């Protein structure tokens, strides 16, 4: 379920081993459920008035999402939800157990050939005095007090260099020479700032496996503070680190438990009270 364009949407998907068995999209424009489409196997029905989506039937295959096919029509009742869903960012460990570290978005904040360094992070009146590059550098310094600046070097395999203060000297280290934690934090800063700027959702799997607890807590603070998150961006993450509970409200925590059938059940911490 998601609110997009001020309207609540509910998307339901059931997937079997080799095909999509059921798919439906509902909206609640006036607090009453409106079925936009409902699909079972290769059979699909649209709400009356959505005739412009008839071509979706021709695009359906056993493994094609009806939502993906319907996005091509750019229908105003479906477009807000589909776009917001596709804008969700994903970070954390990959299936192979390695850390995702796409650095290009963070790198662009320090590339003088790109946007002017004084471009505001948000609109005037929100954070007009704080700039994306300055915020990114402040976050890097929070991770490592020795980092003084960032340089993007031309024509080198390791383009990103972090400048460290060592006494009176400035020492340059390639990003590959930094610790895994610093590299992960660097790769996260760009997507994090983008999510805060646009009010997007950022999914983070196993946040404690990728970041130091101090950095995880700082990440939570950025999303919880209306000053740095005026557009309601959301951070959804999984963790085994119970110390992060100290930084969350009860209604922000869901507990997971795997049953004997292999299915995982989510229970809101807010449901527990009294003797529980």
């Amino acid at each position: 379920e998601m609110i997009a364009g001020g309207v609540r949407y509910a998307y339901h998907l059931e997937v079997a081993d080799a095909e999509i068995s059921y798919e439906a999209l509902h909206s609640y424009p006036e607090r009453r459920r409106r079925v936009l489409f409902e699909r079972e196997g290769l059979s699909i029905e649209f709400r009356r008035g959505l005739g412009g989506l008839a071509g979706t039937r021709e695009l359906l295959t056993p493994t094609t999402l009806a939502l993906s096919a319907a996005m091509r029509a750019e229908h105003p009742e479906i477009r807000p939800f589909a776009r917001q869903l596709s804008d969700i960012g994903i970070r954390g460990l990959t299936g192979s157990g390695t850390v995702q570290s796409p650095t290009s978005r963070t790198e662009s904040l320090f590339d003088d050939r790109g946007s002017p360094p004084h471009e505001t992070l948000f609109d005037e009146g929100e954070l007009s005095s704080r700039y994306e590059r300055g915020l990114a550098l402040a976050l890097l310094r929070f991770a490592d007090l020795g980092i003084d600046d960032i340089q993007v070097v031309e024509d080198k395999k390791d383009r990103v260099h972090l400048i460290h203060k060592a006494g009176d000297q400035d020492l340059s280290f390639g990003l590959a020479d930094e610790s895994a934690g610093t590299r992960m934090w660097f790769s996260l800063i760009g997507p994090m700032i983008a999510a805060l700027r646009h009010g997007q959702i950022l999914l983070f799997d196993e946040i404690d496996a990728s970041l130091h607890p101090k950095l995880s807590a700082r990440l939570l603070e950025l999303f919880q503070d209306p000053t740095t998150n005026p557009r309601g961006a959301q951070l959804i993450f999984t963790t085994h680190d119970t110390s992060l509970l100290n930084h969350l409200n009860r209604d922000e925590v869901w507990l997971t438990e795997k049953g004997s059938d292999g299915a995982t059940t989510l229970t809101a911490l807010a449901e527990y009270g009294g003797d529980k």
Side-chain angles (χ1 to χ4, degrees):
E1 296 191 22
M2 184 186 302
I3 294 177
V7 177
R8 174 187 162 206
Y9 289 85
Y11 181 56
H12 189 124
L13 179 66
E14 295 180 13
V15 183
D17 287 343
E19 63 181 6
I20 296 167
S21 54
Y22 179 80
E23 184 180 3
L25 179 62
H26 303 150
S27 66
Y28 298 79
E30 297 174 352
R31 296 189 178 184
R32 296 180 63 181
R33 190 178 80 159
R34 174 182 292 176
V35 179
L36 298 180
F37 69 77
E38 191 168 19
R39 169 250 189 105
E40 291 192 26
L42 293 179
S43 175
I44 186 169
E45 297 294 333
F46 295 98
R47 184 181 69 81
R48 184 176 300 176
L50 294 182
L53 297 177
T56 299
R57 289 188 176 90
E58 301 174 2
L59 299 174
L60 279 189
T61 71
T63 58
T64 300
L65 291 175
L67 179 63
S68 178
M71 282 178 67
R72 301 189 182 191
E74 289 285 307
H75 196 282
E77 286 196 68
I78 292 180
R79 181 175 58 227
F81 171 80
R83 285 188 173 179
Q84 187 158 313
L85 186 67
S86 63
D87 282 342
I88 293 176
I90 302 175
R91 291 294 178 269
L93 298 178
T94 65
S96 61
T98 58
V99 175
Q100 297 175 353
S101 56
T103 63
S104 57
R105 181 169 284 179
T106 307
E107 178 183 317
S108 66
L109 298 176
F110 299 96
D111 192 343
D112 293 333
R113 298 171 304 168
S115 301
H118 295 297
E119 180 183 357
T120 57
L121 175 58
F122 303 118
D123 293 338
E124 292 294 326
E126 291 177 345
L127 280 180
S128 57
S129 63
R130 302 185 69 173
Y131 306 116
E132 293 183 2
R133 178 170 179 160
L135 177 60
L137 186 57
L139 290 171
L140 274 172
R141 288 172 174 166
F142 181 80
D144 186 339
L145 297 178
I147 296 175
D148 189 60
D149 201 2
I150 305 294
Q151 291 180 349
V152 178
V153 182
E154 288 286 347
D155 301 325
K156 285 195 175 183
K157 184 177 180 180
D158 196 353
R159 287 167 42 85
V160 179
H161 284 237
L162 279 63
I163 311 301
H164 291 255
K165 277 286 187 185
D168 297 330
Q169 298 183 28
D170 291 336
L171 302 179
S172 175
F173 290 90
L175 188 61
D177 297 324
E178 298 288 346
S179 69
T182 299
R183 294 197 305 270
M184 185 63 196
W185 185 240
F186 180 90
S187 71
L188 181 62
I189 286 174
M192 177 171 54
I193 290 178
L196 294 171
R197 185 202 307 133
H198 298 294
Q200 295 174 334
I201 298 171
L202 186 62
L203 302 182
F204 205 129
D205 188 26
E206 300 282 6
I207 193 171
D208 50 303
S210 306
L211 296 175
H212 187 281
K214 184 177 73 169
L215 298 181
S216 300
R218 179 58 179 148
L219 182 58
L220 266 60
E221 291 171 1
L222 290 171
F223 278 82
Q224 291 169 330
D225 188 344
T227 305
T228 50
N229 187 13
R231 294 189 175 144
Q234 278 188 292
L235 175 67
I236 303 175
F237 64 92
T238 62
T239 182
H240 300 283
D241 183 4
T242 56
S243 69
L244 290 178
L245 290 171
N246 297 324
H247 303 275
L248 297 169
N249 296 322
R250 289 174 59 86
D251 60 352
E252 294 175 324
V253 180
W254 291 72
L255 307 176
T256 64
E257 184 175 7
K258 183 177 288 187
S260 58
D261 59 353
T264 298
T265 302
L266 281 79
T267 306
L269 181 61
E271 293 183 10
Y272 289 88
D275 292 340
K276 294 183 180 180

